[in-house]
Amino acid sequence: MAILWRCGALLALIAVVGVLAQYEWQPRDAFDEVKAKFDRATADNCPILHKSDLFLSDDTVSHLPDIKEFDQNPIFPNRSALLLLHNMALSRGFYWSYILQSRFIRPAINDTYDPGMMYYFLSTVADVSANPSINASAIYFSPNTSFSSSYRGFFNKTFPRFAPRTFRLDDFNDPIHLHKISTMNTFDVRDLGAFPPDSVSRDYTQDQYKINDWYNAWLPDDVDRRHDTKTTYQVEIRYANNTNETFTFHGPPGADEDPGPVKFTKPYFDCRRSNKWLVSAVVPIADIYPRHTQFRHIEYPKYTAVAVIEMDFERIDINQCPKAEGNKGKNKFADTARCKKETTECEPLDGWGFRRGGYQCRCNPGYRLPAVVRRPYLGEILERASSEQYYNGFDCTPIGWLQKTPIEWYRLPAYTREKYLAHYYEHKNYSKGAISIHSEKINVNEVLNFILGVNEKTCKNFHKQDLILNGDISFGAQEQFANEAKMAIRLANFISAFLQISDPLEVYSGKRVADKPLTEDQMMGETLALVMGNSRIWNAATYWDRSKFPNRTLFAPYAYKTQKNSRKFKMEDVARNNKTGEDYTELPYFKLMRQRWAANFDSLEKYYMKMRLRHNETGEHSQKYEHYPNFYHAATMQHGHWTVPQFDCKGYVKKWLITYAVPFFGWDSLKVKLEFKGIVAVSMNMLQLDINQCPDDYYVPNAFKNTHKCDEKTSYCVPIQGREFELGGYKCECLQGYEYPYEDPITYFDGQLVEAEFLNIVNDDRSRYDTFKCRLAGAASARLEVTILGALMVLSWLLFRRWSR
């Protein structure tokens, strides 16, 4: 009996070990190494960890946006958050460089034109509040280089250290929110330059700070008093009184310089601050230093600060696929995917962040999916599979017989050509020019011919209504131009925060004084920074409602550029166009915003801040801001308005532009309720959109929907990103049960080739469009099945015996 019990226990142990061990078949790889280091650092032990334990290697974040490639290679969705991080940091670097030097535009007086401390703090708050993917924002000044207007008698004096920083708090357990739900709309705002003089570990300029790679990226800037070491940018300004001025200022390095204007840091653990793993984009801020010497020959440009924008490392997608063409950069996680390389290849997916499985396994050329499998194998399923499941599945089946791609082709027979033209009847009877857009079923070739044919010279030949397109032509703008819209929301959020929180009449104890009202230079600089910091924004404007800007009836700084990759920009106060019916308050989207926000503001987002400022000028310690906590209301993405595409033949930028406008708000004169103050608008070139020709639901407003030319019986349409406003931005993948029949390095029919060959049919020219069809899977296979052969032989023998009787 004891033997039986022992045998039973042994069998149970074997079963348990077998069940548990079947999921431990994967060998350890780079992901496990990084994950172990990622989990090792915590808020409790990070102060005593070695510096090397607070950083990950620089190849853990791959495919970083490179400003030198923005106009050449597309930025795919799995890097759109990093692109926003890049552009936000660049925009902030340009703005602070502009505003710190803009005092040279104004008369020299015994005062400073610099923004006050509240301006700095609320600027970093807006960087975070407007962008859910951004975790923190800061400006770090070098020692004794930050001038301020926030203290009496402080003219031409500097703070020892000054570093306003905002990071997002998890307010799940915050007493402000009784619902116990994380809104992620509460921010910790503090001056990291306020610390005791003997606390070296809290000095962000010292090595003992451990995680200050963002500071060491550009600072300290040791310039030997040379005036030609910093890149210059030129702005042509036209004021409301029609006076002109050309302002040249020093800024971050240009996109054509090496290194470029933006540096990314290695992922680091934000110890004793947000206590998260972060990645930051860093841009230098230039200023003329020293100031107010009356001797310009000793005032030289140098980097006095850095703008640092940070995001969670966990939000960044990793690429587990092997290195290949277009994927050759540094990548710690390369070749950690579980795809079976013999029959499948790896393709990354979007939105997975720092976790396994963000890929799919597609069939290699010459292979197809089994008949029971509909789509490529998902990496998430492979990563969770047991060893038995993995080794007995997730394979592709070899295609038995491959055809050679046709080299010569001929005109199709008349009846075949008529068959295709009858199916795509819009290519047989169609209108040309502007009328083509209003057809019941558009001819995409003629629509694009019209749109691409409108330019600065030909726009005068069209009626004004012809230069305003339907909204469904710009389908996808809200997703593809989301980063540009968020930059407009950031400026609108900042203005809302400043108008609602900063009171120029407030009196503080000691020598601290309240921030002055917003100035023309500040609003012009903020608007200009939108255009300079994002290559896809062609113009930006801040339209103030009538009598809402201090000491001005109308004020509307409008910045734009006439060509890409330029260091010359233009800016106008379009309030000078004050003829009846021509001023900016008559713009359709301005009137729409003003009417929409005339009375009810309940849907606006509410943002809370916990602010800690320096106690005095020297900043021996910090203290709570007098209003603690405080809050403001501001607009989000859904509160804005997208315009239809239009070509303004009389405008400053003569392109097909799509405009996004978002409102900002402040208190009324009695400070009892909110009121509409104006809008921020940014415009993008519609021709940078990707066209989606694939099928979609009937209610989706896409003018190009279902205009693809794939053979619907054997294949389906999949969009290809990055081809912009051209036909053929898709591929024809074979349906389940069909296979790609040709010996080719790809396994699909490219949409551009399909469109070109179909156009040959329309023109009655030679075409191979009829060959762009998938083949029934296994139809051409010539394999011998032993069981079937044996059954046939037995059946033949039985029939032979019966007939021979």
Side-chain angles (χ1 to χ4, degrees):
M1 192 68 177
I3 296 177
L4 292 176
W5 276 106
R6 290 176 183 176
C7 293
L10 181 61
L11 290 173
L13 179 63
I14 293 174
V16 170
V17 171
V19 170
L20 295 178
Q22 66 175 333
Y23 295 99
E24 301 296 330
W25 59 273
Q26 300 101 330
R28 289 183 60 84
D29 54 21
F31 182 88
D32 298 305
E33 175 189 339
V34 174
K35 190 67 167 65
K37 195 170 185 179
F38 181 91
D39 295 333
R40 190 180 307 139
T42 63
D44 297 325
N45 66 8
C46 71
I48 61 174
L49 287 178
H50 189 268
K51 182 177 181 179
S52 61
D53 293 326
L54 299 177
F55 287 88
L56 302 178
S57 58
D58 58 355
D59 57 353
T60 49
V61 180
S62 61
H63 307 80
L64 290 170
D66 187 352
I67 195 170
K68 295 177 175 59
E69 298 182 358
F70 283 0
D71 298 329
Q72 302 173 11
N73 299 320
I75 302 295
F76 293 107
N78 65 345
R79 285 299 177 266
S80 60
L82 278 174
L83 178 62
L84 177 63
L85 193 74
H86 176 285
N87 291 340
M88 283 293 299
L90 186 59
S91 174
R92 295 293 83 210
F94 277 123
Y95 170 73
W96 292 112
S97 298
Y98 175 91
I99 202 64
L100 293 178
Q101 300 169 61
S102 65
R103 67 185 185 280
F104 295 117
I105 305 178
R106 303 302 174 193
I109 59 174
N110 191 23
D111 197 357
T112 176
Y113 291 104
D114 287 325
M117 285 198 302
M118 190 59 67
Y119 193 106
Y120 281 97
F121 285 116
L122 297 180
S123 177
T124 60
V125 169
D127 296 339
V128 183
S129 65
N131 303 292
S133 61
I134 290 179
N135 186 70
S137 173
I139 305 161
Y140 298 93
F141 278 88
S142 291
N144 300 304
T145 58
S146 54
F147 297 84
S148 178
S149 61
S150 295
Y151 288 92
R152 290 190 197 91
F154 207 66
F155 171 71
N156 207 22
K157 294 182 181 180
T158 58
F159 291 142
R161 304 288 188 275
F162 184 49
R165 183 176 189 261
T166 296
F167 68 85
R168 193 186 305 273
L169 292 174
D170 187 356
D171 52 6
F172 167 76
N173 205 30
D174 199 293
I176 297 174
H177 304 288
L178 301 179
H179 298 291
K180 299 295 182 181
I181 298 175
S182 292
T183 66
M184 306 306 288
N185 285 342
T186 303
F187 311 108
D188 183 284
V189 189
R190 62 183 61 206
D191 182 1
L192 298 180
F195 57 86
D198 57 347
S199 181
V200 181
S201 63
R202 296 179 63 184
D203 186 352
Y204 59 82
T205 66
Q206 301 295 325
D207 292 338
Q208 288 84 343
Y209 204 78
K210 291 185 180 181
I211 59 171
N212 59 354
D213 274 12
W214 26 259
Y215 180 85
N216 298 324
W218 296 102
L219 300 175
D221 184 26
D222 298 322
V223 180
D224 191 18
R225 303 198 177 194
R226 291 181 55 184
H227 288 253
D228 59 348
T229 60
K230 300 295 176 283
T231 308
T232 58
Y233 299 86
Q234 188 181 93
V235 186
E236 297 178 11
I237 306 175
R238 191 171 187 180
Y239 296 98
N241 59 3
N242 285 321
T243 59
N244 300 328
E245 183 167 12
T246 299
F247 176 50
T248 302
F249 69 99
H250 302 275
D256 57 332
E257 298 184 55
D258 192 18
V262 182
K263 290 184 179 179
F264 286 91
T265 65
K266 296 184 292 186
Y268 57 92
F269 188 80
D270 196 35
C271 185
R272 294 190 296 190
R273 306 201 299 182
S274 62
N275 294 313
K276 294 182 177 182
W277 284 93
L278 303 179
V279 175
S280 61
V282 189
V283 175
I285 297 170
D287 193 6
I288 305 297
Y289 188 85
R291 287 190 183 184
H292 308 292
T293 65
Q294 304 302 322
F295 300 101
R296 293 301 303 275
H297 64 283
I298 66 172
E299 296 179 359
Y300 57 95
K302 65 177 296 186
Y303 296 143
T304 59
V306 288
V308 181
I309 309 292
E310 301 158 294
M311 70 177 296
D312 287 346
F313 171 70
E314 288 182 282
R315 293 175 177 264
I316 302 174
D317 290 345
I318 62 174
N319 186 355
Q320 295 185 250
C321 297
K323 292 186 177 182
E325 290 295 329
N327 181 27
K328 293 183 177 180
K330 296 186 297 183
N331 184 5
K332 181 78 171 179
F333 306 102
D335 206 12
T336 59
R338 308 296 187 191
C339 296
K340 294 187 174 181
K341 297 181 181 179
E342 298 80 10
T343 62
T344 63
E345 60 184 359
C346 178
E347 180 181 0
L349 299 177
D350 306 331
W352 289 80
F354 178 61
R355 58 192 179 107
R356 290 186 182 273
Y359 60 90
Q360 63 181 7
C361 302
R362 307 176 52 81
C363 292
N364 280 329
Y367 292 85
R368 61 173 174 83
L369 288 170
V372 295
V373 180
R374 185 178 181 185
R375 293 290 186 267
Y377 302 112
L378 286 177
E380 181 189 23
I381 297 177
L382 270 77
E383 297 286 350
R384 295 186 302 180
S386 65
S387 58
E388 181 181 359
Q389 291 172 327
Y390 179 79
Y391 291 113
N392 294 319
F394 308 113
D395 287 297
C396 288
T397 306
I399 297 175
W401 177 59
L402 290 173
Q403 302 171 226
K404 290 289 185 180
T405 306
I407 300 176
E408 295 185 7
W409 55 93
Y410 308 92
R411 290 173 57 184
L412 294 181
Y415 63 87
T416 305
R417 179 174 179 269
E418 286 299 322
K419 180 186 71 172
Y420 289 124
L421 292 182
H423 182 68
Y424 301 102
Y425 59 87
E426 67 274 13
H427 291 271
K428 190 172 184 180
N429 299 312
Y430 55 86
S431 303
K432 293 187 176 182
I435 307 176
S436 61
I437 298 178
H438 306 290
S439 303
E440 182 179 354
K441 187 171 178 60
I442 64 170
N443 183 319
V444 288
N445 297 95
E446 293 303 324
V447 169
L448 258 68
N449 288 339
F450 162 67
I451 292 175
L452 299 178
V454 178
N455 54 47
E456 185 176 354
K457 297 179 181 179
T458 62
C459 65
K460 300 175 184 178
N461 302 329
F462 297 94
H463 191 273
K464 185 178 180 180
Q465 291 300 320
D466 295 335
L467 300 180
I468 301 177
L469 304 180
N470 298 330
D472 56 359
I473 295 289
S474 60
F475 172 77
Q478 297 185 23
E479 292 78 24
Q480 298 179 45
F481 288 146
N483 282 357
E484 288 69 33
K486 289 175 182 176
M487 295 186 72
I489 296 170
R490 182 258 155 215
L491 178 52
N493 269 23
F494 164 73
I495 299 176
S496 296
F498 193 89
L499 294 179
Q500 296 173 43
I501 293 176
S502 179
D503 185 359
L505 302 178
E506 190 161 3
V507 178
Y508 300 110
S509 60
K511 293 192 294 182
R512 183 156 66 94
V513 296
D515 278 29
K516 298 177 182 178
L518 295 173
T519 66
E520 291 185 13
D521 288 337
Q522 291 168 357
M523 290 296 95
M524 286 183 171
E526 292 280 8
T527 307
L528 177 65
L530 294 176
V531 180
M532 299 182 73
N534 192 315
S535 62
R536 301 181 77 180
I537 295 179
W538 282 88
N539 67 54
T542 305
Y543 298 120
W544 287 78
D545 201 4
R546 189 175 299 273
S547 300
K548 300 304 181 185
F549 189 78
N551 302 320
R552 290 286 302 273
T553 303
L554 293 176
F555 179 56
Y558 179 97
Y560 65 99
K561 56 191 174 189
T562 56
Q563 61 181 12
K564 277 191 173 184
N565 306 319
S566 173
R567 296 181 185 176
K568 295 182 179 181
F569 301 86
K570 297 184 179 182
M571 184 159 51
E572 295 203 15
D573 184 355
V574 295
R576 67 183 186 83
N577 301 325
N578 54 8
K579 293 182 181 179
T580 304
E582 291 186 6
D583 62 86
Y584 64 86
T585 59
E586 297 299 320
L587 290 171
Y589 52 88
F590 186 91
K591 294 169 67 176
L592 175 66
M593 290 281 101
R594 184 168 53 188
Q595 293 169 4
R596 180 183 297 177
W597 299 102
N600 193 336
F601 307 95
D602 293 343
S603 65
L604 293 178
E605 198 74 31
K606 191 174 184 179
Y607 300 100
Y608 285 90
M609 293 172 293
K610 298 180 178 181
M611 303 178 66
R612 296 188 67 88
L613 310 182
R614 58 179 54 225
H615 174 67
N616 54 15
E617 303 96 315
T618 52
E620 282 83 2
H621 61 85
S622 63
Q623 66 181 20
K624 289 183 179 179
Y625 179 54
E626 281 74 4
H627 307 281
Y628 185 94
N630 48 22
F631 61 87
Y632 69 95
H633 297 84
T636 57
M637 179 75 79
Q638 65 266 25
H639 296 127
H641 172 70
W642 293 89
T643 68
V644 298
Q646 57 182 332
F647 195 103
D648 189 357
C649 205
K650 297 180 180 180
Y652 298 106
V653 180
K654 295 178 175 57
K655 296 181 181 293
W656 288 104
L657 296 180
I658 302 171
T659 300
Y660 176 77
V662 61
F664 54 86
F665 309 90
W667 297 114
D668 63 1
S669 57
L670 299 177
K671 294 190 176 181
V672 294
K673 67 182 184 69
L674 293 175
E675 68 176 5
F676 172 80
K677 295 290 187 180
I679 65 171
V680 177
V682 292
S683 298
M684 290 69 66
N685 185 3
M686 182 191 69
L687 300 186
Q688 291 184 282
L689 281 178
D690 288 337
I691 292 177
N692 188 346
Q693 296 181 249
C694 294
D696 212 331
D697 293 323
Y698 69 93
Y699 51 81
V700 175
N702 179 9
F704 299 98
K705 176 176 59 181
N706 205 22
T707 59
H708 67 93
K709 304 302 184 299
C710 296
D711 179 51
E712 297 180 354
K713 293 182 179 180
T714 63
S715 61
Y716 64 97
C717 175
V718 179
I720 295 178
Q721 300 160 344
R723 294 192 172 177
E724 297 189 344
F725 214 75
E726 295 182 3
L727 295 181
Y730 60 88
K731 55 184 177 180
C732 303
E733 294 273 9
C734 293
L735 286 169
Q736 184 179 8
Y738 290 85
E739 62 189 16
Y740 186 76
Y742 299 111
E743 188 177 359
D744 214 3
I746 57 176
T747 59
Y748 56 85
F749 300 106
D750 191 286
Q752 288 184 333
L753 186 59
V754 173
E755 292 284 344
E757 294 301 331
F758 181 81
L759 192 59
N760 287 338
I761 293 180
V762 175
N763 298 331
D764 199 14
D765 201 354
R766 293 186 302 171
S767 174
R768 50 177 171 165
Y769 177 77
D770 205 33
T771 65
F772 295 154
K773 298 178 181 179
C774 293
R775 187 177 62 193
L776 191 64
S781 178
R783 282 178 287 180
L784 181 65
E785 291 289 348
V786 177
T787 54
I788 297 178
L789 180 62
L792 288 174
M793 292 180 65
V794 171
L795 181 61
S796 300
W797 180 73
L798 292 174
L799 291 174
F800 175 76
R801 288 192 59 183
R802 182 177 180 181
W803 290 339
S804 61
R805 290 177 180 176

